[in-house]
Amino acid sequence: MTLFEITFYSQYRTKLVKGESEPVYLPINEECDYHQVIFAHGYYSSALHEIAHWCIAGQARRLLEDYGYWYLPDGRDKEQQKQFEQVEVKPQALEWAFCVASNKAFNVSADNLNGYEADHTSFRLKVYQQVKKYLKEGFPKRAQQFIDVLADFYQVNTPLNLSQFELDSELYQDV
């Protein structure tokens, strides 16, 4: 939370806030004079995931609650899960990079425990392919700033490289 605030508060008036239940992004309003990236239950993975969404959201979206996106909770059907995974590839690729930069474990999340059984192998591969694209073409500006801050704090070598991202499975041998 401190690293995020030191990095972004002065320019973006945004704080990372520990929440109780569901994560949410709240823009400045009459009750709070700064934007809030609220993560769930104090879990670092939730914090890094919510920061990833914030790093992708453009200026207009950062003025909308939850960036103006739809979210269907756990229990999605096959088509809903497919749509969910399409919008989650980039944030999860950034979350993975944040985890690498902070020496934390990363687990891809289809986030649908009580719904359609997603193909985790395929989804993880899509996230991995997005990581490869970011490594080749560059991360979004705010994401790169945060990667650099995390890597400096946790003493991780940068720039990040593909060898730091492991798929942990023989299923991906030809990737």
Side-chain angles (χ1 to χ4, degrees), residues 23-168:
V24 66
Y25 172 77
L26 299 175
I28 292 173
N29 58 47
E30 58 279 346
E31 296 164 11
C32 187
D33 67 349
Y34 56 87
H35 306 287
Q36 300 175 76
V37 177
I38 301 172
F39 65 103
H41 305 290
Y43 297 134
Y44 80 86
S45 59
S46 177
L48 296 180
H49 185 79
E50 296 311 310
I51 292 168
H53 278 289
W54 181 82
C55 286
I56 291 172
Q59 185 175 1
R61 288 221 179 253
R62 292 192 313 270
L63 298 176
L64 304 171
E65 183 172 330
D66 247 358
Y67 315 107
Y69 290 119
W70 64 272
Y71 177 76
L72 291 173
D74 191 357
R76 293 179 292 275
D77 64 27
K78 182 178 182 177
E79 188 56 37
Q80 293 166 334
Q81 185 63 23
K82 183 178 176 183
Q83 291 174 338
F84 171 84
E85 290 180 6
Q86 286 176 339
V87 299
E88 279 293 309
V89 169
K90 287 182 178 181
Q92 291 204 28
L94 292 183
E95 178 187 350
W96 197 350
F98 297 157
C99 286
V100 167
S102 57
N103 281 323
K104 303 284 186 196
F106 171 75
N107 293 302
V108 69
S109 175
D111 194 29
N112 200 27
L113 300 174
N114 296 312
Y116 173 74
E117 179 71 30
D119 180 353
H120 295 289
T121 301
S122 174
F123 183 50
R124 185 172 175 95
L125 183 57
K126 289 174 186 171
V127 173
Y128 181 75
Q129 294 297 341
Q130 183 62 51
V131 165
K132 287 172 62 174
K133 184 174 181 178
Y134 280 142
L135 289 169
K136 180 179 179 184
E137 298 175 6
F139 289 93
K141 179 185 173 191
R142 285 173 285 141
Q144 186 62 60
Q145 284 178 271
F146 200 55
I147 288 167
D148 292 341
V149 167
L150 291 170
D152 182 60
F153 185 81
Y154 289 99
Q155 301 178 351
V156 171
N157 290 331
T158 56
L160 300 182
N161 64 73
L162 195 56
S163 69
Q164 294 167 294
F165 296 84
E166 295 183 23
L167 285 172
D168 300 330

